[in-house]
Amino acid sequence: MTLLNPDDATGWVTNSNQAITIRLFSGEDVMSVEKFLKQNTTNSALSEEECDLDIVEFHPSFTYTVFGELEKIFGYKGLQIYLNYAAGSLMTYLQIFYKNTVNKIETIENVSLKVDEIEEPITKVLSSDLLHSISDFSKAVVSESIDFTPNGKKIHQYTLSNENDCVYEIYENNFSDKEFRKFHQRLQTFVIFFIEGGQFVDDTDEKWTFYTLYKKADYCGKNVYSFVGFCSVYNYFHWPDNIRARISQFLVLPPYQQSGHGSKLYNFIRQSILSNTLIVDLTVEDPNEAFDDMRDKNDIKWMLSAGNIKKLDKPLPFKDLHNLMSASKFCKKQLIRVAELCLLKNLNNKSSKSDNFKEYRIWVKKRLFRQNYDMLIEMEPEERKKKLQDTFDSVYQDYIRILSTI
């Protein structure tokens, strides 16, 4: 029997983000799906007989909710965890493969080494209707490739200029639909894997509105749907009889990122907010940097297309800004940020020594001082002045970066 020195135990540690592969399946032949699933392989190894399968693969960004803060799994060699999804309905089948476990290795000291549990913690974040056999999953894939249509009401569609064989559709849903609640139980696992700090939401609360995004492709005269992403919006009460809408979760799956889908989804949601007279503004819950960038760029483009940016030709008090930009339904923080970006754009690269730029710099610095008052007021005057200038320089460079992409 092979002996294991405890110092060599690190060789039995696997990064859980890399061990897990998420796969979205479409296909019309049950035997082809079954044959592929019985192999411990990726879609790059599809044979000619399996060419009718469409399998999209990617890894999760975060697995600490399942496997701990370090995102490590101990005790396996050659570990592969496959989360297999039917591309449209997200019906799920879990597979776990490995070549060896540390349980079979004898240590040279009186040390007991045990493998980390895999199936139990990962099953906790999967839906209760998890499929348990290759046969059942294969049949589900083929059935929905023929018959599946998304839940909810189709409210928008668009195409991409570089894709001629498909269309993307957005559907609106809420938890009053029992079928959508079942679908959401499968969908919400992606929240854990791709949104840092993401949590499951209460699916009995009907104040949630969900926008799901699908790719619809023609395959031999049939429409085949693949899930692309989603956005959840919570509708808060706003006195006396209005609503404040808050984007809570926003996700485009990795294979579809960097193609404009996030902007398409966000712009449609914003346009829906603007056309709803009950909604007073749109906020975002804990956005990450990538979402902030996408949001800023699209909000400025909207200001440009609406002609509103031309009206902003000088620094204004918040009250005047709000009156000027009220139709945008930006929340206060975003309204100020967009106004600062738009006015900087209107300066047309004027010299930093010009009166217009000096006025702009003072305007932004006043906002930064109010925003960071508690910290700045504790500093000595010279230190405060330097800190405020450094903060302004950082904001200014970030604004230049954003405007350079528009």
Side-chain angles (χ1 to χ4, degrees):
M1 179 178 290
T2 303
L3 295 179
L4 176 68
N5 189 316
D7 293 337
D8 298 328
T10 55
W12 294 82
V13 176
T14 306
N15 181 291
S16 52
N17 293 340
Q18 292 302 311
I20 296 176
T21 301
I22 297 170
R23 308 195 289 200
L24 305 181
F25 281 75
S26 297
E28 290 196 318
D29 182 69
V30 172
M31 292 184 65
S32 294
V33 180
E34 288 184 348
K35 181 181 178 182
F36 182 85
L37 288 169
K38 289 176 182 178
Q39 309 170 53
N40 178 11
T41 187
T42 64
N43 63 359
S44 61
L46 284 172
S47 65
E48 291 185 7
E49 291 80 9
E50 297 160 336
C51 63
D52 61 327
L53 290 180
D54 182 19
I55 305 171
V56 178
E57 295 183 342
F58 48 99
H59 297 285
S61 300
F62 311 104
T63 52
Y64 57 84
T65 301
V66 181
F67 294 111
E69 185 178 352
L70 297 179
E71 298 181 321
K72 304 291 185 183
I73 303 172
F74 175 74
Y76 301 87
K77 285 288 182 71
L79 178 62
Q80 293 290 335
I81 303 168
Y82 294 112
L83 279 174
N84 303 299
Y85 288 91
S89 68
L90 301 183
M91 292 297 295
T92 315
Y93 174 58
L94 170 66
Q95 289 180 296
I96 302 170
F97 295 94
Y98 49 84
K99 296 178 180 178
N100 201 359
T101 71
V102 77
N103 289 348
K104 299 177 181 179
I105 305 297
E106 181 180 342
T107 62
I108 63 174
E109 298 179 13
N110 187 24
V111 177
S112 176
L113 297 178
K114 293 184 178 180
V115 299
D116 287 339
E117 180 60 43
I118 296 176
E119 186 170 355
E120 181 180 355
I122 202 168
T123 300
K124 288 181 179 178
V125 300
L126 299 177
S127 63
S128 58
D129 60 1
L130 182 69
L131 299 176
H132 296 285
S133 74
I134 287 178
S135 176
D136 287 346
F137 178 75
S138 301
K139 291 175 182 177
V141 169
V142 171
S143 174
E144 76 162 45
S145 294
I146 300 171
D147 300 323
F148 175 80
T149 54
N151 297 99
K153 176 184 177 183
K154 177 185 169 184
I155 51 177
H156 185 62
Q157 70 176 37
Y158 63 88
T159 57
L160 298 180
S161 58
N162 60 337
E163 296 183 13
N164 300 319
D165 57 347
C166 63
V167 62
Y168 293 88
E169 299 180 346
I170 299 174
Y171 289 77
E172 185 179 57
N173 297 271
N174 59 59
F175 288 138
S176 64
D177 183 338
K178 293 181 179 179
E179 289 304 311
F180 176 73
R181 286 171 66 178
K182 293 178 182 178
F183 172 80
H184 179 262
Q185 285 188 357
R186 303 170 211 134
L187 160 69
Q188 66 183 353
T189 303
F190 292 141
V191 172
I192 299 297
F193 286 152
F194 294 105
I195 300 178
E196 189 167 11
Q199 298 179 347
F200 293 166
V201 302
D202 178 6
D203 65 4
T204 65
D205 189 342
E206 295 184 6
K207 292 187 180 69
W208 287 101
T209 300
F210 282 81
Y211 300 91
T212 51
L213 174 61
Y214 282 88
K215 176 182 179 180
K216 182 177 76 173
D218 180 84
Y219 184 78
C220 297
K222 299 172 184 176
N223 293 325
V224 179
Y225 288 89
S226 298
F227 178 76
V228 173
F230 82 102
C231 175
S232 63
V233 177
Y234 195 80
N235 301 299
Y236 285 93
F237 170 75
H238 185 273
W239 191 87
D241 53 5
N242 291 102
I243 296 170
R244 296 192 74 190
R246 184 184 71 183
I247 292 177
S248 178
Q249 299 162 336
F250 190 100
L251 174 65
V252 173
L253 294 180
Y256 299 100
Q257 292 175 7
Q258 305 302 317
S259 298
H261 296 296
S263 292
K264 294 285 189 181
L265 182 57
Y266 173 73
N267 285 328
F268 175 77
I269 292 170
R270 193 213 14 241
Q271 193 57 45
S272 298
I273 299 297
L274 294 178
S275 62
N276 189 329
T277 57
L278 292 177
I279 298 178
V280 296
D281 65 9
L282 175 65
T283 64
V284 181
E285 178 184 355
D286 296 330
N288 61 21
E289 184 177 335
F291 184 90
D292 272 338
D293 275 2
M294 183 271 294
R295 181 190 188 192
D296 289 341
K297 293 171 188 176
N298 284 288
D299 285 350
I300 295 168
K301 287 178 181 179
W302 179 83
M303 291 284 290
L304 285 167
S305 65
N308 293 329
I309 194 171
K310 297 178 181 178
K311 302 174 184 178
L312 190 59
D313 56 1
K314 63 181 180 180
L316 295 171
F318 175 75
K319 182 178 179 181
D320 294 338
L321 278 179
H322 185 267
N323 291 336
L324 180 65
M325 301 168 64
S326 59
S328 67
K329 296 190 178 181
F330 296 138
C331 64
K332 181 177 179 179
K333 181 179 179 181
Q334 185 67 2
L335 186 149
I336 293 172
R337 182 173 174 84
V338 170
E340 290 177 355
L341 279 159
C342 289
L343 183 53
L344 182 59
K345 184 174 179 60
N346 281 341
L347 289 177
N348 292 320
N349 297 320
K350 290 187 177 180
S351 169
S352 60
K353 297 180 180 179
S354 68
D355 290 340
N356 287 338
F357 189 86
K358 181 179 179 181
E359 188 179 17
Y360 173 81
R361 184 173 63 246
I362 293 172
W363 184 52
V364 175
K365 281 186 175 181
K366 284 182 177 179
R367 190 265 299 174
L368 293 172
F369 182 79
R370 292 192 300 270
Q371 186 174 312
N372 300 281
Y373 177 83
D374 291 340
M375 177 188 69
L376 292 171
I377 203 64
E378 296 295 325
M379 298 178 179
E380 294 296 325
E382 285 303 313
E383 182 186 8
R384 183 189 311 143
K385 183 178 179 180
K386 183 179 186 305
K387 182 65 175 178
L388 201 54
Q389 182 62 43
D390 290 345
T391 305
F392 171 80
D393 290 342
S394 177
V395 170
Y396 174 71
Q397 291 301 321
D398 191 47
Y399 284 178
I400 291 298
R401 177 185 62 82
I402 293 169
L403 292 173
S404 69
T405 64
I406 298 173

